[in-house]
Each structure stands twice: as structure tokens, then as C-alpha cells.
Amino acid sequence: MLRHMLVARGIDEEAGQLQKQGAIDLWLSCQGHEAAQVGSALAVGPAPTVFPSYREHAVALLRGVAPDELVAQWAGRTFCGWDPRRLRFFPYTLVLAAQTLHGVGYSIGQRLQGREDFVVVYIGDGATSEGDMSEAMNLAAVEAASVLFICQNNGWAISKPAGEQMHTSVADRARGFGIESVRITGQDPEAVFAVCARAAAHVRERQAPFLVEIQVERIHGHSTSDAQELYRSPDDIERARATDPVTAYAARLSGLGLVDADWFHLVGAEIRDLRERLIKEFAG
Ligand SMILES: Cc1ncc(C[n+]2csc(CCOP(=O)(O)OP(=O)(O)O)c2C)c(N)n1
Ligand SMILES: [Mg+2]
């Protein structure tokens, strides 16, 4: 898990740098989301079809999307960049919450065709305000669609705080539609893994939807075109940096003696190589 988190962090950092150099047009950082994304993606495994939003970079890499394929869309080179059917990882969806209905529809279609693996839909907190999400949750509940909704709640929809968007949690709202749910924090990948593994078992065994709301602290702003200092307090940004899941997990595993300097050296070399390949491809 730590290796996947470090790789995602390295790719994210490099893409951010490339954007600053003008080599790609835009980047939406997933820094701070790594435990939520790696924990959930490993818990559901490779079989389910994933309908992402637009910043599930750690999930994409785990599914086998190559770093250059991941970045190509943000350089305006392609509409997607990878083969969604082969990887069972659908294109990033920038029209907020559209992927929720795509995912529920896909799940119902799979069942009609006698194929019964489940679907995972990733969504942000702000996107849950879209009507599509309400329709998707209701349809998933009444059709008993095998869909696991994973909401990464960073408390912001660009500059709009979650408190101005909803007076309840996303998890509570799911229950109102008849979908079982749980709300957790997203700093510890092992805890996320355990909860998502139980949620996946629920979807598989009961053939019913489930929603996991994961509270994350995002380190950077919404995108490279966004100045978060204009709306987030210095304390809020500092808290996100201080609770960085990658640093915390690396420190924990080091403290337990499960990883050592040699391991970090090896993984560091692997990440440097991936970053260099990105530089060559987009800024070379
Ligand atoms: C239908 C639609 N309305 C508005 C936008 C503009 N927009 C892009 S991202 C965003 C905020 C989404 O916030 P959230 O769902 O919490 O995801 P986050 O970016 O925080 O991960 C908005 C309003 C859009 N892409 N699509
Ligand atoms: Mg958000």
C-alpha cells in the first residue's frame, strides 16, 4: 500500500510541475487522497468496473493506467488516454456526477446479461449536490444495483465549503434513499481497506448498493488554476499538510521496522524513473 501511495504522490508531483512549466494544461492533484484511494482500490480488487470522477489518479495507476496515459488528457492529447474496457476503469468524468448514473446503469446492464460483478463509483462531496447523484442513489436502491459508491469528502467544492452545500453527511443522505452507508476518516490506508473490504462484501453478497464516505484532507487546491489561499484559512491548509497520509504511513511502517532505507531507496529509484519518463514525454 505504501509503495502505491508513494508512486501516486510522485506522479502527482511531477504532473503539477509539468503544468507549471506549461507542458500540460491543467492538473487536479490527489495529494492527501492517497490512503482513501489506495485503500479502497485494493479492497475492491481488480474485478469490479470503476467509474471515476477526475482525480482518482492512485486508483487509475493501480488499475494499470500508465502515467503518460493518465497525464495525456490534461495535455489535451486525448479524450481519455487508456482502454476503459480492458482496464475496467472508465474515462474521467468532468461533468459532475454524470458517472453515478453511468455506473448504476452499467451495473443493471451487467445483471441483465448474466454478468454479476459489481461497480464502483467515485464521487466528490460537491458533486453529490447534483441531481444525478440523487437519481443514481434512488435507482441503485430500488433496482438493488450492485454499486459501491465511494465519496471522497474533502469539505470543499472548489471554494464552496461542504457546510454550505448540505446540512447532513453524504452517508446519512444515502440512508435516506435506502442505501446502507458508513462515514470514516481517510488518513490510514489500512482502516480504509478494512471498511471498503466489508462494503464490497456487502455489495457482492447481498447484491445491494452501499456508500462509503471518506473524509480526506486535500493538500493542494482544486486544480492548478485555483488559488486555495483565497478561501481556505492558513490553519486549514496547514492541518492538511500535517496530516499527510503518505508521510504518516511511511513513518508508521518505518517505526514498525517493516520498511527500511534500502526499501525507500528502491522505491525512490522506481519513482524517479517514472517521473523522468513523464518529463521526456511531455516536456522533452
Ligand atoms: C455539472 C457540472 N457543474 C459544475 C462543474 C464545475 N466544477 C468542476 S469541479 C467542481 C467542484 C466539485 O467538487 P467535489 O465534487 O467536492 O470534488 P473535488 O474537486 O473536491 O474532488 C465544480 C463545481 C462541472 N464540472 N460540472
Ligand atoms: Mg470536494
Side-chain angles (χ1 to χ4, degrees):
M1 281 201 273
L2 180 57
R3 187 183 145 270
H4 290 301
M5 289 166 73
L6 287 166
V7 168
R9 175 63 58 95
I11 300 297
D12 195 287
E13 280 175 358
E14 194 53 60
Q17 295 287 349
L18 286 167
Q19 197 281 334
K20 279 192 192 140
Q21 293 164 20
I24 66 173
D25 302 303
L26 182 74
W27 184 249
L28 280 78
S29 169
C30 73
Q31 291 183 37
H33 292 238
E34 291 91 345
Q37 294 189 7
V38 169
S40 61
L42 285 174
V44 303
T49 304
V50 177
F51 287 76
S53 184
Y54 45 68
R55 70 169 93 244
E56 280 71 41
H57 311 318
V59 183
L61 293 165
L62 256 165
R63 274 306 175 103
V65 176
D68 61 321
E69 294 174 329
L70 187 63
V71 173
Q73 182 176 8
W74 308 98
R77 292 189 184 177
T78 167
F79 287 126
C80 178
W82 56 88
D83 180 345
R85 292 189 189 282
R86 187 174 63 81
L87 299 180
R88 288 189 294 283
F89 185 81
F90 264 63
Y92 275 163
T93 308
L94 279 87
V95 180
L96 294 179
Q99 78 277 12
T100 62
L101 283 168
H102 300 163
V104 174
Y106 190 89
S107 164
I108 294 169
Q110 271 202 319
R111 185 171 294 167
L112 289 172
Q113 291 175 1
R115 290 185 287 130
E116 195 50 83
D117 219 320
F118 68 100
V119 161
V120 181
V121 172
Y122 282 92
I123 186 158
D125 52 296
T128 67
S129 304
E130 292 287 340
D132 280 12
M133 178 61 168
S134 292
E135 290 176 42
M137 285 197 287
N138 191 52
L139 187 62
V142 295
E143 292 289 336
S146 299
V147 177
L148 174 60
F149 294 96
I150 298 179
C151 176
Q152 293 172 90
N153 185 347
N154 69 318
W156 295 94
I158 311 185
S159 54
K160 187 91 169 161
E164 290 179 20
Q165 293 203 65
M166 58 188 101
H167 286 177
T168 178
S169 68
V170 178
D172 277 348
R173 205 170 339 140
R175 276 179 226 128
F177 286 98
I179 296 179
E180 286 191 43
S181 65
V182 66
R183 187 179 207 222
I184 59 170
T185 55
Q187 258 58 50
D188 174 5
E190 294 180 20
V192 173
F193 180 95
V195 168
C196 289
R198 279 201 298 278
H202 174 106
V203 174
R204 263 203 186 103
E205 286 156 23
R206 299 211 208 154
Q207 299 191 358
F210 196 95
L211 182 142
V212 180
E213 178 179 359
I214 310 178
Q215 292 171 274
V216 296
E217 300 275 357
R218 186 176 306 146
I219 293 169
H220 293 295
H222 175 72
S223 74
T224 48
S225 316
D226 174 48
Q228 63 174 348
E229 294 77 15
L230 295 180
Y231 56 84
R232 272 179 95 178
S233 71
D235 283 356
D236 189 28
I237 296 172
E238 188 41 46
R239 193 180 53 243
R241 291 203 183 108
T243 54
D244 179 347
V246 179
T247 317
Y249 197 46
R252 194 165 117 216
L253 296 196
S254 296
L256 290 169
L258 293 170
V259 289
D260 59 14
D262 286 349
W263 185 87
F264 281 108
H265 186 73
L266 272 178
V267 176
E270 182 192 346
I271 294 168
R272 247 192 327 280
D273 183 48
L274 292 171
R275 291 178 72 145
E276 273 161 21
R277 276 195 255 165
L278 274 184
I279 294 168
K280 222 166 140 194
E281 175 66 29
F282 291 95

